[in-house]
Amino acid sequence: MASRSALAVSTFLCLAALAALSAHAADPEEIRDFAPPADGAPPNASYFTFPGLRNIDVKQGQFANVTNVNVVSFPALSGLGVANALLVYPPGSVNVPHTHPRGTETLFLLEGTLEVGLIDTTLPVPVLFTQTLYKNDIFVFPRGLVHFQINKSKYVVRAYASFSSTNPGLVSLPRTLFGVHIDPEVLTKSFEVSSDIIAKLSAVQP
């Protein structure tokens, strides 16, 4: 009887583990080595090459320049469970607080110094982790956690991001909260500020 109970417990734990893994799977598994070109043509070396980062124009302003390299712009990534992005930060610019609901991000600093922040929500009270990154440093932002970056230097900063999903998604907190016309009363009560402040925050969202 004891052995049967032990077997039942072991079976339950195995099934629970499999269920957890399934629930956390970001992308379906590709059963081929790679997805062939959609037009049916045989693949060549150009199919596996993305030249779109060779000449990037840096737009000056308060926000980081983000060039996504995903399945939309680079079809060879289809089914491979990865995506990338080149981030260029003009002096004083910020990559606003946001999350990637379907993918973990690793950020590799190519040039300059960059301040990054990550909010851990494991505990009942959120914890903020901040770090100054230098050239060749790597920082990881776990899937679904709020994070941001800011360039406090006087120089252009460049970084390359890799994601654990073909489509990691992007939830910008400022745009999500203030750019979709949530009832102002909800926001004023939630943030305990006046309606004038909410109106100003909403007005600057694209």
Side-chain angles (χ1 to χ4, degrees), residues 117-150:
L118 166 69
I119 299 175
D120 177 19
T121 55
T122 304
L123 300 175
V125 178
V127 178
L128 172 65
F129 299 104
T130 60
Q131 184 66 277
T132 301
L133 302 184
Y134 299 91
K135 183 178 179 180
N136 294 334
D137 283 352
I138 296 176
F139 195 89
V140 62
F141 302 105
R143 179 178 62 185
L145 296 188
V146 175
H147 58 282
F148 58 87
Q149 303 103 36
I150 183 170

Side-chain angles (χ1 to χ4, degrees), residues 79-188:
L80 300 183
V82 295
N84 305 276
L86 177 67
L87 298 98
V88 182
Y89 308 82
S93 65
V94 62
N95 192 10
V96 302
H98 62 280
T99 71
H100 302 291
R102 294 182 295 275
T104 291
E105 174 185 354
T106 53
L107 188 72
F108 176 73
L109 197 63
L110 300 170
E111 177 184 16
T113 59
L114 185 69
E115 309 294 324
V116 302
L118 166 69
I119 299 175
D120 177 19
T121 55
T122 304
L123 300 175
V125 178
V127 178
L128 172 65
F129 299 104
T130 60
Q131 184 66 277
T132 301
L133 302 184
Y134 299 91
K135 183 178 179 180
N136 294 334
D137 283 352
I138 296 176
F139 195 89
V140 62
F141 302 105
R143 179 178 62 185
L145 296 188
V146 175
H147 58 282
F148 58 87
Q149 303 103 36
I150 183 170
N151 177 11
K152 294 184 177 181
S153 75
K154 299 179 180 180
Y155 307 98
V156 172
V157 174
R158 299 175 186 270
Y160 196 77
S162 297
F163 300 94
S164 64
S165 170
T166 302
N167 182 17
L170 173 65
V171 179
S172 166
L173 269 61
R175 182 176 298 178
T176 301
L177 291 172
F178 303 106
V180 297
H181 308 294
I182 296 175
D183 185 340
E185 185 177 359
V186 174
L187 297 176
T188 56

Side-chain angles (χ1 to χ4, degrees), residues 7-18:
L7 178 60
V9 171
S10 299
T11 302
F12 172 78
L13 291 175
C14 289
L15 291 173
L18 289 173

